[in-house]
Amino acid sequence: MRELDLSGNIANEDDNYFSYSIPLKLQALHVNNVNWEIKPLKYFIEVCSNSNLTSLSINHVQFIDSVKSKEKWNFLFSNLPARLNSVKTFSWNSNEIHHKFMTFLIDSQYLSSVSLNCCNCSNLIDIKRLLIQSRGIKQISIQNIASDKKDVYLSDFKNFLREIPQMKYLQQIDLSHNYFDDECLEILKESLINSNINFIAFDDS
């Protein structure tokens, strides 16, 4: 077995949650739309970080008890392993983002493709740091950036677009399903001329 999809399950905290391991030959693992207790999620990421996985998808994390979800996210980000030891493709769509999590990805030296769709526009500062500091990430998807205020979104988005030339190792970027005004397009045009990007998508934008 090379690929396993465990999406849509429930990860309870019980006496056995810390006893599993990832099969050595498993290469791709999907755990999307899973309802988690926080300690099993923490342990799961630790196990994945020390596995032979090359592709890992943890989209739309949900907590079984949604009370104090912010505290649970902070607990997770404060207890991350040092890095993903072998993962090349990583998907973290529709989840919280934190500067400690970006450091975790920056230190994951084999990581080459990342998906952070449906992030908040306030996360663009951390994503920008990820793409500037990482020497391995060549491809990223940042579709459908969320924001309650259009002016805040545009300011954050334009600042991100201006920094694209500083993302020296980035070759492909997907900005589909985001709002572009005329100034965004002009900034993007200028940034692409001075970057190493060879593919960009902004469908339905």
Side-chain angles (χ1 to χ4, degrees), residues 36-115:
W36 295 91
E37 294 279 4
I38 186 58
K39 289 184 178 179
L41 176 57
K42 169 184 173 290
Y43 179 74
F44 174 78
I45 293 177
E46 289 174 355
V47 170
C48 290
S49 72
N50 293 310
S51 71
N52 292 325
L53 290 172
T54 59
S55 179
L56 177 60
S57 176
I58 315 176
N59 297 324
H60 197 201
V61 167
Q62 302 169 78
F63 294 114
I64 293 173
D65 181 1
S66 61
V67 176
K68 296 184 177 180
S69 61
K70 185 173 181 61
E71 287 84 349
K72 293 173 183 176
W73 282 113
N74 288 337
F75 173 83
L76 177 67
F77 293 139
S78 296
N79 291 276
L80 292 167
R83 64 189 62 83
L84 293 166
N85 287 340
S86 61
V87 172
K88 297 178 181 179
T89 301
F90 181 67
S91 183
W92 186 257
N93 299 330
S94 302
N95 290 327
E96 294 288 325
I97 292 176
H98 189 276
H99 67 89
K100 292 180 180 178
F101 190 74
M102 294 295 100
T103 299
F104 167 66
L105 297 183
I106 290 168
D107 292 339
S108 301
Q109 59 181 337
Y110 294 106
L111 200 58
S112 62
S113 178
V114 177
S115 182

Side-chain angles (χ1 to χ4, degrees), residues 149-177:
K149 297 181 178 180
K150 185 176 179 179
D151 58 336
V152 174
Y153 159 81
L154 282 172
S155 176
D156 290 342
F157 192 45
K158 289 172 185 178
N159 287 335
F160 176 85
L161 295 176
R162 289 188 183 97
E163 296 295 325
I164 287 178
Q166 305 303 316
M167 304 167 190
K168 302 297 186 183
Y169 296 90
L170 189 64
Q171 298 176 4
Q172 299 183 24
I173 185 168
D174 189 342
L175 296 170
S176 298
H177 310 294

Side-chain angles (χ1 to χ4, degrees), residues 127-195:
I127 296 173
K128 178 177 67 177
R129 182 174 72 90
L130 167 69
L131 297 176
I132 291 175
Q133 295 185 10
S134 171
R135 295 191 173 188
I137 296 176
K138 296 179 174 61
Q139 179 179 351
I140 191 163
S141 180
I142 320 173
Q143 298 183 24
N144 199 23
I145 299 168
S147 178
D148 294 330
K149 297 181 178 180
K150 185 176 179 179
D151 58 336
V152 174
Y153 159 81
L154 282 172
S155 176
D156 290 342
F157 192 45
K158 289 172 185 178
N159 287 335
F160 176 85
L161 295 176
R162 289 188 183 97
E163 296 295 325
I164 287 178
Q166 305 303 316
M167 304 167 190
K168 302 297 186 183
Y169 296 90
L170 189 64
Q171 298 176 4
Q172 299 183 24
I173 185 168
D174 189 342
L175 296 170
S176 298
H177 310 294
N178 290 310
Y179 175 73
F180 286 75
D181 66 7
D182 290 342
E183 187 179 5
C184 287
L185 293 173
E186 287 300 317
I187 294 171
L188 178 61
K189 177 182 176 181
E190 186 67 25
S191 290
L192 291 176
I193 292 172
N194 298 298
S195 75

